[in-house]
Amino acid sequence: MDNSQSMSYQAGQAKGQTKEKGNQMMDKASNAAQSCKESMQEAGQQAKAKAQDAADAVKDATGMRK
């Protein structure tokens, strides 16, 4: 293998490694976004439940519950 072939091979190796690293970073970002989405959905469900509990407490206190 002459010098130009070796340099071309090394450039190809570097390109492949860079692409793989980029894919890994995109996977990590996607996983973080999914985790955030799930956390926000859970927080929303908890807030909804608390609001419903508060509304029920008001209904009970005012005799509006049927």
Side-chain angles (χ1 to χ4, degrees), residues 9 23 33 35 43 46 54 62:
Y9 174 79
N23 288 341
S35 178
Q46 289 174 355
T62 60

Side-chain angles (χ1 to χ4, degrees), residues 5-32:
Q5 288 176 324
S6 177
M7 289 177 68
S8 178
Y9 174 79
Q10 289 173 356
Q13 287 288 100
K15 181 180 178 183
Q17 289 172 359
T18 301
K19 184 174 181 180
E20 180 60 26
K21 192 69 156 177
N23 288 341
Q24 289 173 359
M25 291 176 71
M26 290 298 289
D27 287 344
K28 285 182 183 180
S30 177
N31 290 342

Side-chain angles (χ1 to χ4, degrees), residues 27-54:
D27 287 344
K28 285 182 183 180
S30 177
N31 290 342
Q34 182 65 30
S35 178
C36 182
K37 176 184 172 186
E38 290 169 3
S39 294
M40 294 303 291
Q41 286 175 335
E42 184 177 337
Q45 290 296 326
Q46 289 174 355
K48 181 180 175 184
K50 287 181 182 181
Q52 185 62 52
D53 290 345

